[in-house]
Amino acid sequence: MPQLAPSFPLPIGLDPGSPTPLYRQLAEWFRQAILAGRLHPGQRVPSTRRLADELKVSRIPVLGAYEQLLAEGYLESFIGAGTCVARAIPGESLRRVAGKSRKAAPAAHRRGARRTSRRSAAMPVLEQPWLKNLGAFRIGLPAVDRFPMGIWAQLVNRHVRRQALEVMGYGGPLGYLPLRAAIADYLSAMRAVKCDAEQIMVTTGSQQGLQLSAQVLLDAGDEAWVEEPGYLGARQALLAVGAKPVSVPVDTEGLRVADGIRRGRDAHAVYITPSHQFPLGMTMSAARRMSLLNWATESGAWIIEDDYDSEYRFGGRPVASLQGMDPDERVIYVGTFSKVMFPALRVGYVVIPKDLVPSFAVARDAGDTFSSSLHQLVMADFIGEGHFARHTRRMRTLYMERRTALVEAIAAELPGQLEVVGGETGMHLVALLPPGVDDIAVTRAAAARGVSVRPLSQCYIRAPKRGGLILGFGGAASRDIPEAIRRLKTCI
């Protein structure tokens, strides 16, 4: 007999003034909880002595209820292991509950769709079959098998042992100051971001940074530019606060600022991925960057710069951040460690103009208050002791190899069928499909064959003229890529 999990206090309500004896009230509560699925087969129930203490009643009615339930087959007991919900519930009882459910269904059906907010109804609900797989070619997934987990575990153990009170208490909305200082030093050196530790807010990832930015900067009804095609999460963050996304097309130089001014001259903000446009991969030209900064200064608009994976650049010179070029502090810079470390870490950051720091802090405090203190302490050491820089260098070499393997496999298996776009930066590339091919249908078929690809069309607000696939190569081993492409070939 395996060891049963300990039981938790049960929300049992008894009526001492009822003509129904307490033992029968208690037995009926257990029957209904078991048949409704609130208590699961094999789940441990409290001992009679403990339950009597919790309910503030004599042990006699509890013993009577348990004896009745044991006799009816709802409970079973084991010597030395206590009493638990029976693994096989009486069949007649299940048929009785099923009959009741069928009678109740029409009433539930008559209610129809229940009311939600207009903002909730406006959020796009998309089919996402690629989420079922973690192999090739899941976008946003780094090489988690190459992460130095041994070093990470040592750092975690260090803080669990030495600073338990600091780890277990409440933290501030901006985050752990030594980590914020380490992030500021890293961004200043590697991304030419102009900031100090006081401007850094530690978040649970870039998505929270986008949500906070939209919440602080925009009112319901305000317009905000988004790239077309672009990141769906940015649109969702804008819609969640009632803002109106205005799609602005991109070309080989990035966002077409002149088109943005024509389509949304009175916009209050723009969301942009200038260093590595998502999903197409181009870098915004210097001329476009200056045009965007000038427009923001003249119109009083804000720029939300998402620099989600620019640590990995395989060709040409490193590209500085847009924030570092901004003379008027109109840029809110958003980043994450999910692509460099591992997604489950849930640590990102926002670089905030100094005069907006109090507003961001209040917005964060109204939400989840602060990020995990333990992960912040460990991340500060991981950066400060040089592990982060070493890991990033190793991954840059690995991802360049995997990108090369992917491009070669496409050329060998699908010549003339897929047109590769981007891929000089980051951990994904786009492959355009032949005209007329439905990228969502291809995605669905690929997921059934264990291949995770994302349809390009879902990154558009307006239907594109040509579909495509977004292929992530960060989490795909080079040796597995050719076979994954061959499976994908059968879906096109």
Side-chain angles (χ1 to χ4, degrees):
M1 173 68 191
Q3 182 67 39
L4 296 173
S7 59
F8 299 97
L10 301 175
I12 301 172
L14 298 178
D15 182 6
S18 171
T20 304
L22 291 179
Y23 86 92
R24 288 180 58 184
Q25 293 183 45
L26 187 56
E28 181 60 20
W29 186 93
F30 271 98
R31 287 191 200 95
Q32 294 303 318
I34 292 169
L35 295 175
R38 298 195 301 273
L39 295 179
H40 306 292
Q43 181 176 340
R44 193 172 187 174
V45 298
S47 68
T48 56
R49 188 180 305 278
R50 200 185 95 194
L51 185 57
D53 289 341
E54 291 174 359
L55 298 177
K56 303 296 188 294
V57 299
S58 165
R59 193 180 173 197
I60 294 174
V62 180
L63 283 167
Y66 275 28
E67 288 174 0
Q68 182 69 31
L69 294 165
L70 286 165
E72 294 176 2
Y74 289 97
L75 298 181
E76 54 187 345
S77 61
F78 301 92
I79 298 175
T83 304
C84 71
V85 177
R87 286 161 174 76
I89 306 300
E92 185 61 32
S93 298
L94 291 176
R95 285 194 293 273
R96 186 168 63 249
V97 170
K100 291 181 180 179
S101 298
R102 283 193 295 271
K103 292 179 182 178
H109 180 70
R110 284 195 298 271
R111 284 201 305 263
R114 290 182 282 185
R115 183 184 179 279
T116 61
S117 71
R118 287 190 293 272
R119 290 194 299 272
S120 174
M123 301 283 278
V125 179
L126 304 176
E127 181 184 2
Q128 301 184 77
W130 61 86
L131 296 180
K132 299 176 182 178
N133 304 309
L134 285 176
F137 297 100
R138 178 76 176 266
I139 68 168
L141 183 67
V144 292
D145 58 322
R146 300 295 187 92
F147 183 74
M149 190 55 71
I151 294 173
W152 185 259
Q154 291 175 8
L155 298 177
V156 170
N157 289 335
R158 173 195 299 173
H159 288 287
V160 169
R161 289 196 307 268
R162 297 181 184 176
Q163 302 186 45
L165 293 179
E166 186 173 3
V167 168
M168 297 172 69
Y170 284 97
L174 292 176
Y176 179 55
L177 185 56
L179 175 58
R180 292 158 59 198
I183 292 172
D185 290 343
Y186 161 70
L187 293 177
S188 177
M190 299 301 297
R191 303 295 302 127
V193 172
K194 297 182 294 187
C195 67
D196 55 39
E198 301 301 322
Q199 295 175 255
I200 304 291
M201 172 183 282
V202 180
T203 65
T204 56
S206 59
Q207 189 63 33
Q208 185 181 46
L210 300 180
Q211 291 167 344
L212 288 169
S213 299
Q215 184 178 345
V216 171
L217 304 176
L218 298 170
D219 290 317
D222 286 349
E223 291 184 339
W225 299 357
V226 292
E227 297 166 314
E228 176 86 335
Y231 175 50
L232 175 62
R235 278 191 275 151
Q236 291 175 323
L238 296 172
L239 291 170
V241 299
K244 297 179 180 179
V246 176
S247 63
V248 179
V250 300
D251 58 21
T252 56
E253 294 187 62
L255 185 84
R256 290 162 55 172
V257 179
D259 286 359
I261 295 172
R262 281 194 296 270
R263 295 184 179 191
R265 180 177 296 275
D266 298 326
H268 289 251
V270 53
Y271 166 83
I272 192 167
T273 52
S275 296
H276 182 216
Q277 199 278 333
F278 184 89
L280 297 181
M282 73 281 290
T283 299
M284 192 176 192
S285 68
R288 294 275 177 88
R289 290 174 182 239
M290 293 308 302
S291 295
L292 183 63
L293 289 170
N294 290 337
W295 168 79
T297 298
E298 293 169 3
S299 64
W302 299 100
I303 300 172
I304 304 171
E305 178 182 7
D306 187 353
D307 203 15
Y308 62 98
D309 69 353
S310 58
E311 290 87 356
Y312 303 124
R313 188 168 187 83
F314 312 124
R317 298 175 60 184
V319 178
S321 67
L322 184 65
Q323 192 267 6
M325 301 172 59
D326 176 19
D328 197 38
E329 294 190 278
R330 308 300 308 177
V331 177
I332 290 82
Y333 180 92
V334 178
T336 180
F337 290 117
S338 295
K339 308 299 186 296
V340 182
M341 305 285 285
F342 51 93
L345 177 63
R346 307 317 304 146
V347 175
Y349 47 86
V350 182
V351 180
I352 309 164
K354 291 183 178 180
D355 58 321
L356 298 187
V357 170
S359 298
F360 271 79
V362 169
R364 178 66 184 279
D365 198 44
D368 65 345
T369 309
F370 67 102
S371 299
S372 164
S373 297
L374 176 59
H375 284 162
Q376 291 187 71
L377 269 65
V378 175
M379 192 68 208
D381 285 354
F382 195 81
I383 296 174
E385 296 177 9
H387 307 300
F388 180 79
R390 286 190 291 272
H391 179 62
T392 302
R393 287 195 296 270
R394 287 194 296 266
M395 292 302 98
R396 187 179 294 115
T397 300
L398 178 67
Y399 295 151
M400 185 166 58
E401 294 172 356
R402 292 182 174 183
R403 177 195 179 276
T404 300
L406 176 55
V407 172
E408 290 177 350
I410 291 174
E413 298 293 335
L414 292 162
Q417 294 189 60
L418 292 184
E419 178 186 343
V420 173
V421 176
E424 294 298 322
T425 303
M427 297 167 11
H428 76 267
L429 55 79
V430 167
L432 298 177
L433 289 163
V437 177
D438 184 348
D439 57 4
I440 295 178
V442 173
T443 299
R444 192 181 301 119
R449 291 165 174 78
V451 179
S452 178
V453 294
R454 184 171 177 177
L456 178 64
S457 61
Q458 289 191 349
C459 295
Y460 285 82
I461 295 178
R462 305 176 182 182
K465 296 180 180 179
R466 187 176 176 187
L469 305 174
I470 309 174
L471 307 174
F473 50 79
S478 297
R479 64 179 180 278
D480 298 330
I481 288 175
E483 172 56 27
I485 288 295
R486 284 191 286 271
R487 277 184 276 160
L488 181 60
K489 180 180 180 179
T490 66
C491 306
I492 300 175

